Amino acid sequence: MDIRTLQLFQHLADSLHFAKTAEAMHVSPPTLSRAIQRLEEDCGAALFVRDNRSVKLTAAGAKLLAFSAQTLEDWQRLKSELKQDSQLLKGELSLFCSVTASYSHLPALLERFRQAYPQVEIRLTTGDPALATSKVINQEADLAIAAGTPDFPTELSFHQLDVLPFVLICPAGYRLSQWQQLDWRTVPMVLPESGPSKRIVHHWLTEHGIRPKVYASVTGHEAIVSMVALGCGVGIVPKAVVEHSIVANRITMLPLEGIESFKLGLCCLKGRSNEPLVRALLDQV
């Protein structure tokens, strides 16, 4: 039994005429007869009662007809689904983001994307968010999760995901309730070495006339959080970085007034924003 035989059987069960079915299904009458005979052998029952004047469906034939109709319907549905699958987007996208973004914002984005485009593979690289825009500009990544800044590169398009407030972080042992209680002359500070955070933090410190006692300048928000948790001093980082850190219980967060927020978004080269794979991910923002 195969799909073609079932198609012949179904047409014959409807026409009850061997010659008409043979013509309509583009087979010779002997070929049709042999196909029906093989089907009857497979079923172990006569499917038609036929004589020189008429063809009638037997009870066994009626049962097979119901099976045949359902099977052929399922087959057509499967072929349609397979055709749609073959037309889905396929390929690979490279994406760069920070470690924090990889589990704070990326999972929800990728879950939507994977549901819509299951045949597209994502190659993820994590690192210092300060490198995000250069990774895309140098085509080391198709897209990146980056911070939107006033001097954001003009060759890139930016699609905002979230707005993250900055907080002052201290070791949990510091008994402070507000940042004004901090003695900036004696308490060391861990500063961002590069990237948008460096500008934001420097601007806020300057506005408040604070000249920090610098303990170290490091790469990446996660490094600042770790050093503060170890008691090396205080720092200023986006709140989400602390909330998703494994050392969050060793840190006290204090709100900061008047500090610029961290605008987080997905970026790509403007010239590539309408490429099918790139556009598919941007549409999930």
Side-chain angles (χ1 to χ4, degrees), residues 255-271:
L256 293 176
E257 299 86 10
I259 191 168
E260 182 183 336
S261 294
F262 198 82
K263 297 177 180 63
L264 198 69
L266 198 60
C267 71
C268 69
L269 287 169
K270 287 181 178 178

Side-chain angles (χ1 to χ4, degrees), residues 53-157:
R53 292 182 298 176
S54 65
V55 176
K56 294 181 180 178
L57 200 63
T58 64
K63 290 181 180 180
L64 181 61
L65 182 60
F67 168 82
S68 174
Q70 184 62 54
T71 301
L72 292 176
E73 181 181 342
D74 291 344
W75 171 242
Q76 290 301 323
R77 184 183 302 111
L78 175 61
K79 287 204 302 181
S80 177
E81 291 174 357
L82 293 175
K83 182 178 180 180
Q84 290 176 4
D85 288 346
S86 69
Q87 295 172 344
L88 289 176
L89 284 178
K90 299 178 183 178
E92 181 183 89
L93 274 177
S94 56
L95 178 63
F96 178 88
C97 69
S98 68
V99 173
T100 297
S102 71
Y103 47 79
S104 64
H105 291 79
L106 194 58
L109 179 68
L110 289 189
E111 182 178 1
R112 296 192 297 270
F113 182 77
R114 292 291 293 169
Q115 289 178 350
Y117 306 101
Q119 298 188 57
V120 177
E121 297 296 326
I122 299 292
R123 179 164 53 85
L124 177 64
T125 304
T126 58
D128 181 4
L131 301 175
T133 55
S134 64
K135 290 285 185 180
V136 176
I137 291 172
N138 295 330
Q139 299 190 49
E140 297 173 37
D142 298 317
L143 303 104
I145 295 181
T149 60
D151 59 346
F152 197 74
T154 56
E155 61 265 52
L156 299 182
S157 64

Side-chain angles (χ1 to χ4, degrees), residues 136-189:
V136 176
I137 291 172
N138 295 330
Q139 299 190 49
E140 297 173 37
D142 298 317
L143 303 104
I145 295 181
T149 60
D151 59 346
F152 197 74
T154 56
E155 61 265 52
L156 299 182
S157 64
F158 181 81
H159 304 257
Q160 186 166 302
L161 288 167
D162 202 357
V163 178
L164 310 178
F166 275 85
V167 292
L168 176 70
I169 57 174
C170 313
Y174 282 36
R175 303 301 179 187
L176 303 175
S177 58
Q178 54 185 3
W179 68 266
Q180 290 89 342
Q181 296 174 302
L182 196 66
D183 186 351
W184 294 94
R185 295 168 300 176
T186 60
V187 175
M189 186 173 187

